[in-house]
Amino acid sequence: MARRPEQTESFPPLSASAQMIHRVSAASVPQRRRKSSSLGADPRGDNSAGSIATNLPRHHAHGSHDSPTERKASDKGARERKRTRAKKLLRRWKRTCHKHTWLLPLLVILVLLAAYYASPGPHNPLHYAIFLSYADPPLAERTATLPAHIGHVTQYGKGPKDCAFVAFYTVVFTFTREFLMQRLIRPIALWCGMRQRGKQARFMEQFYTAMYFAVFGPFGLWVMSRTPVWYFNTAGMYEGFPHRAHEAWFKVYYLLEAAYWAQQGMVLLLQLEKPRKDFRELVLHHIITLALIGLSYRFHFAYMGVAVYITHDISDFFFATLKLLNYLDHPLTGPYFVAFVANWAYLRHYINLTILASLLPAAQYTLRLPQLLASNLPTNLPANLLTASKAEYSFTTGQFSTVGPYTLNWETQQYKCSLAQIITFALLASLQAVNIFWFVLIMRILYRFLFTTEIKDDRSEEEGEEEVEDAKETRRKAKQVYGMANGEKPPEIELNGRPVEQEDVEFEEEKVPVKSGARSKRR
């Protein structure tokens, strides 16, 4: 076989320059075709794991340390992670407390109780928040006009430590209200078929109010039976004044009522309940009530205060239960409404006007009645009506200034004087004016009931209006969430090329369901 002659490359002469050598090499050697580049592709071999060197832990050499900049950046990153974790926990806690509103007051109560029982006794300051203070005051401060049938009882004085008692049980009433409304009353409302959020909230509020006054109404009457004030005896309010000490049951009742009204003031201030049309009158009523409670307790007119408590507690119980019957469309709503009107007129007006009359200047009035009417009047009239004859009845005013001492003495805490008389009359008259305003609304409802058989509270919004408000609130929150999540405005609804705001839609008589669960009215 003939061999192919090998291609040889001529060797340049020794005297050739470098440029000549390069030209000869380029001309004599053929250029190879360049293959495709492997840059950017995965290297061949098993590359699913890092190399041994990169996976080994780093061991700094002896005496070597991170630079200050690296340590500072590392510490800053750790602080940021802790701060982010704390913010997440705080947001989660806020959502939980917003959903279960009874949780926070329960934790406060448990913390205070744990702090007290860690070292129980009068030496612990929390003792005065949980239990009564000022037991067994000096003899000069004790009340000497207690009825004989209650026997010898321990009396309790008054002082600044009672504010701690009221504050603690204000938190207790806050927990009780929220827990009962969410865990007990709301399932009852759902079981009764109430799906609208506005009506459900009204039902829960009135149910809790009825539960409270169902307990404290009879409790107040029992406490009153153990005092000289039974049964609304105005002279007993001033006999043996000043009343600087009371038995335990009386003081517990009075301070718990103060805690309840303080908690109701917080509900009103924070607007936890939807404001009604008479919101201003309700605010005025709460201000007057809290002022009467504080001043009557401080200046020893608590016997007058317990009578005012009871007149409002019992009438409020009838009013709350009437609202519940009305929400349920119960057939007893009509007859019960008539009984409520009579109860309200007697307790909030007749009894309270009798107390107001005792604050007027001393006088005696005679009422002459027709013979036919006088012959049918009962013989067991209240004690403030003095029977003169069958046709004449007389009553006296001014027991405030005529019964018991009537002078100002700061040392003996004798505050029953002309200044106290003016202030007390002004507050009770203001409270009576608010009650008269509400009584006018009640009589309007009674008139409609008698002539149209319709019972409708003029203070409340229409059910349809409440549902429309619920739907608007749901849409408003949805828009806020959408905007927060996407950083942009929510999509607009257009009608014939023009944008339409959902809040501006007018609702008329016919109702149609909407996706939010409420019922709106068709445009």
Side-chain angles (χ1 to χ4, degrees):
M1 180 182 295
R3 297 178 59 184
R4 293 178 60 184
E6 296 183 357
Q7 293 181 359
T8 60
E9 181 181 356
S10 59
F11 194 83
L14 296 177
S15 60
S17 63
Q19 293 181 354
M20 183 181 295
I21 295 173
H22 179 71
R23 285 198 297 269
V24 171
S25 300
S28 59
V29 178
Q31 297 292 329
R32 295 183 179 180
R33 185 177 180 181
R34 183 180 181 184
K35 297 181 180 180
S36 60
S37 174
S38 62
L39 293 177
D42 293 335
R44 298 175 181 178
D46 185 7
N47 58 2
S48 60
S51 65
I52 298 177
T54 58
N55 288 335
L56 289 176
R58 284 188 176 184
H59 296 285
H60 295 283
H62 181 69
S64 63
H65 300 283
D66 291 338
S67 64
T69 305
E70 291 179 352
R71 288 198 304 269
K72 186 176 180 180
S74 177
D75 295 342
K76 184 177 180 181
R79 287 196 300 269
E80 287 293 335
R81 288 192 295 271
K82 291 181 179 179
R83 191 178 297 111
T84 303
R85 192 180 304 112
K87 288 181 179 179
K88 288 181 179 179
L89 292 176
L90 181 60
R91 286 195 298 267
R92 185 178 302 174
W93 169 253
K94 287 182 178 180
R95 289 195 299 266
T96 304
C97 289
H98 182 74
K99 182 178 180 181
H100 306 287
T101 52
W102 50 268
L103 183 59
L104 184 59
L106 176 62
L107 291 179
V108 173
I109 294 170
L110 293 178
V111 169
L112 294 178
L113 290 178
Y116 171 73
Y117 284 105
S119 179
H123 64 277
N124 193 324
L126 294 175
H127 178 86
Y128 308 108
I130 303 173
F131 304 102
L132 295 178
S133 307
Y134 308 107
D136 292 323
L139 292 176
E141 298 181 7
R142 299 184 185 182
T143 301
T145 58
L146 294 178
H149 70 272
I150 68 172
H152 178 72
V153 294
T154 302
Q155 296 191 26
Y156 290 80
K158 305 173 184 176
K161 296 177 182 177
D162 295 332
C163 296
F165 186 90
V166 174
F168 175 75
Y169 284 96
T170 300
V171 179
V172 172
F173 277 123
T174 302
F175 162 73
T176 305
R177 178 183 184 273
E178 299 301 322
F179 183 81
L180 290 178
M181 288 179 64
Q182 291 192 9
R183 295 299 179 184
L184 176 64
I185 305 175
R186 177 170 291 165
I188 295 176
L190 294 174
W191 180 75
C192 294
M194 298 182 185
R195 297 292 184 267
Q196 297 82 13
R197 187 172 57 181
K199 189 174 182 180
Q200 189 179 108
R202 296 290 190 206
F203 181 85
M204 293 191 299
E205 294 164 7
Q206 297 302 325
F207 202 105
Y208 171 74
T209 303
M211 291 178 64
Y212 173 82
F213 290 121
V215 175
F216 275 79
F219 182 36
L221 287 173
W222 180 76
V223 169
M224 178 192 279
S225 68
R226 300 168 62 86
T227 66
V229 187
W230 181 263
Y231 171 81
F232 300 108
N233 179 21
T234 53
M237 300 176 184
Y238 314 116
E239 291 176 351
F241 195 90
H243 308 127
R244 300 170 64 179
H246 302 280
E247 67 156 331
W249 288 115
F250 185 96
K251 185 173 181 178
V252 166
Y253 170 76
Y254 211 89
L255 294 183
L256 287 181
E257 284 274 17
Y260 170 80
W261 284 104
Q263 192 268 337
Q264 288 296 107
M266 293 173 54
V267 171
L268 196 66
L269 180 64
L270 300 176
Q271 292 191 359
L272 300 180
E273 297 179 358
K274 184 178 179 180
R276 300 177 183 267
K277 294 180 180 178
D278 62 341
F279 181 74
R280 295 180 179 178
E281 291 78 12
L282 190 61
V283 171
L284 179 61
H285 175 271
H286 278 62
I287 293 175
I288 297 171
T289 301
L290 292 173
L292 282 170
I293 292 171
L295 294 176
S296 64
Y297 189 76
R298 171 62 184 85
F299 296 102
H300 312 312
F301 293 101
Y303 279 166
M304 184 185 300
V306 73
V308 178
Y309 270 150
I310 293 171
T311 58
H312 286 71
D313 288 358
I314 298 177
S315 58
D316 279 337
F317 169 78
F318 275 85
F319 180 71
T321 49
L322 174 64
K323 292 285 289 183
L324 293 177
L325 293 175
N326 191 30
Y327 288 141
L328 298 174
D329 294 328
H330 199 276
L332 291 178
T333 304
Y336 195 84
F337 176 66
V338 176
F340 157 73
V341 173
N343 176 275
W344 180 287
Y346 173 71
L347 291 174
R348 290 219 179 186
H349 297 289
Y350 174 74
I351 297 296
N352 279 275
L353 288 174
T354 302
I355 299 173
L356 274 174
S358 69
L359 294 165
L360 294 173
Q364 185 172 359
Y365 300 92
T366 301
L367 180 63
R368 291 181 173 84
L369 302 176
Q371 187 65 31
L372 180 61
L373 180 61
S375 60
N376 294 324
L377 286 177
T379 57
N380 53 345
L381 292 175
N384 59 327
L385 293 180
L386 304 177
T387 304
S389 66
K390 265 296 188 181
E392 294 182 359
Y393 289 88
S394 62
F395 61 95
T396 58
T397 61
Q399 291 92 341
F400 187 94
S401 58
T402 58
V403 179
Y406 187 69
T407 183
L408 178 61
N409 190 334
W410 293 96
E411 294 182 358
T412 60
Q413 300 187 25
Q414 172 58 255
Y415 305 122
K416 193 160 74 71
C417 59
S418 57
L419 179 61
Q421 185 176 5
I422 295 172
I423 295 175
T424 306
F425 182 85
L427 289 174
L428 287 177
S430 302
L431 186 63
Q432 183 62 209
V434 176
N435 288 333
I436 290 175
F437 168 78
W438 283 331
F439 188 67
V440 172
L441 298 181
I442 292 171
M443 296 307 295
R444 289 173 56 183
I445 299 173
L446 178 62
Y447 175 82
R448 286 198 301 267
F449 170 69
L450 294 177
F451 292 96
T452 64
T453 66
E454 176 190 9
I455 298 179
K456 173 187 172 185
D457 189 359
D458 289 339
R459 307 177 308 151
S460 302
E461 300 289 342
E462 291 284 349
E463 180 181 342
E465 294 176 2
E466 291 183 351
E467 294 162 2
V468 170
E469 291 297 328
D470 291 343
K472 289 183 178 180
E473 183 69 14
T474 303
R475 289 193 293 267
R476 185 185 64 81
K477 291 182 178 179
K479 287 184 176 182
Q480 290 179 353
V481 172
Y482 185 91
M484 292 171 60
N486 298 277
E488 57 185 10
K489 295 182 179 180
E492 294 183 351
I493 299 178
E494 293 186 357
L495 179 63
N496 297 330
R498 298 179 180 180
V500 177
E501 290 292 336
Q502 295 186 9
E503 286 80 359
D504 298 334
V505 177
E506 297 180 357
F507 296 91
E508 297 179 356
E509 291 296 330
E510 188 177 357
K511 300 179 182 179
V512 295
V514 295
K515 293 183 180 180
S516 61
R519 291 181 302 170
S520 61
K521 298 183 180 179
R522 185 176 298 173
R523 186 174 178 180

